[in-house]
């Protein structure tokens, strides 16, 4: 009979593996040799940007042998509620709940606790909510055996200098991103969502173990759509991403699983 250690490189990513290993492949135990495609699989998050639970279930059905991370955002969560998460989690997948919390510290702490109780593995909040809000979010997770990874959003990529100025901020988006990232780090945040343009700066600021999630990914030749700051999967990893968020290049492909496989191969080569 083959030794389990011989089989390990070929075992699929397992949803029940400890959360730190899922979130930051650098934490994977030295005894576990992971095949590059499975390493890539732990870093690819598919955005379920659909308006209802049936659409989400159909995508997960088509992708679940290929992908293990799914992002649920405002549109789907508002339409379908927390129940939409249950079948995804029950099948052992990981959920990134992208609701970008921004409220008074007490309310955000409560929302973070509620999200943790749902069993999600990553969730977002706005760094511009301030240090007290970010600290309260972190404190809300204290004592949990498997807390979700908090990810701070710095400046929305839809905000250019004139949009920032209209809100009273006379800095460039890049300077504001850096200020908010430093503030988030001081408040204990160890994960960020950012565009490819800011990835290298954030990686340098946050250090090698921080979780850096990058959307705006387009494989070479894919439709750009409304994204402005884009990178290929390989470029995003080289810029310092730990995880990539990909929506339409996978979800609107004629064969979603094949599109995801091709992205995974590109990622595996870059790792
Ligand atoms: O379809 P596409 O690959 O552009 O989807 C990207 C996903 O990442 C969407 O869910 C989008 O809301 C999200 N996102 C983004 N840009 C940001 C933050 C999040 O595209 N700056």
């Amino acid at each position: 009979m083959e030794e389990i250690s011989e089989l390990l490189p070929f075992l699929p990513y397992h949803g029940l593996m400890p959360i730190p290993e899922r979130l930051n492949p650098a934490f994977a135990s030295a005894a576990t040799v992971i095949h590059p495609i499975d390493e890539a699989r732990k870093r690819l998050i598919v955005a379920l940007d659909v308006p209802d639970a049936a659409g989400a279930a159909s995508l997960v059905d088509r992708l679940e042998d290929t992908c293990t991370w799914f992002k649920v955002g405002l549109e789907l969560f508002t339409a379908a509620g927390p129940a939409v998460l249950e079948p995804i989690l029950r099948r052992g997948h990981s959920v990134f709940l992208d609701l970008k919390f921004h409220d008074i510290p007490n309310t955000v702490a409560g929302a973070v606790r509620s999200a943790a109780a749902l069993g999600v593995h990553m969730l977002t909040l706005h760094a511009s909510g301030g240090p007290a809000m970010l600290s309260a979010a972190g404190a809300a997770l204290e004592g949990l055996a498997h807390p979700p990874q908090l990810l701070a959003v710095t400046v929305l990529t839809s905000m250019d200098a004139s949009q920032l100025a209209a809100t009273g901020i006379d800095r460039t988006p890049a300077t504001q991103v850096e200020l908010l990232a430093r503030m988030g780090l001081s408040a204990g945040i160890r994960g960020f969502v950012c565009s490819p343009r800011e990835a290298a700066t954030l990686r340098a600021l946050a250090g090698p173990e921080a979780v850096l999630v990058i959307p705006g990914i387009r494989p070479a030749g894919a439709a750009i759509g409304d994204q402005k700051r884009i990178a290929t999967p390989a470029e995003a990893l080289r810029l310092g991403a730990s995880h990539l968020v990909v929506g339409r290049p996978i979800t609107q492909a004629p064969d979603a699983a094949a599109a995801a496989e091709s992205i995974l191969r590109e990622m595996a080569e870059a790792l």
Side-chain angles (χ1 to χ4, degrees), residues 47 49 71 98 100 157 193 215-218 227 245-249:
D49 291 329
K71 178 170 94 74
D98 186 18
K100 299 186 180 69
T157 46
V193 183
I217 305 298
R218 291 293 178 270
Q227 290 285 7
V245 174
V246 182
R248 289 162 289 179

Side-chain angles (χ1 to χ4, degrees), residues 95-107:
V95 169
F96 170 13
L97 186 64
D98 186 18
L99 302 181
K100 299 186 180 69
F101 296 147
H102 187 167
D103 209 314
I104 60 170
N106 188 55
T107 301

Side-chain angles (χ1 to χ4, degrees), residues 41-82:
R41 213 183 303 283
K42 291 197 293 180
R43 299 165 179 256
L44 176 62
I45 304 171
V46 180
L48 297 177
D49 291 329
V50 289
D52 53 40
S58 152
L59 272 173
V60 174
D61 280 347
R62 281 180 279 150
L63 286 166
E64 73 170 346
D65 292 335
T66 317
C67 300
T68 189
W69 272 100
F70 295 97
K71 178 170 94 74
V72 174
L74 282 168
E75 181 186 14
L76 178 59
F77 195 81
T78 304

Side-chain angles (χ1 to χ4, degrees), residues 122-215:
M122 287 183 183
L123 63 93
T124 43
L125 61 174
H126 276 285
S128 55
M133 188 198 89
L134 297 176
S135 301
L141 298 176
E142 275 168 20
L144 293 186
H146 301 294
Q149 174 72 45
L150 296 178
L151 301 173
V153 176
T154 55
V155 177
L156 291 172
T157 46
S158 54
M159 300 291 281
D160 57 14
S162 70
Q163 292 284 313
L164 278 182
T167 67
I169 296 165
D170 287 321
R171 288 189 201 89
T172 62
T175 319
Q176 183 67 357
V177 164
E178 196 168 327
L179 180 143
L180 289 172
R182 286 183 193 280
M183 187 265 283
L185 288 164
S186 304
I189 296 292
R190 293 292 176 266
F192 295 90
V193 183
C194 69
S195 83
R197 195 177 293 178
E198 293 120 23
T201 307
L202 278 188
R203 175 56 71 201
L205 279 177
E209 292 192 350
V211 176
L212 221 58
V213 178
I214 304 198

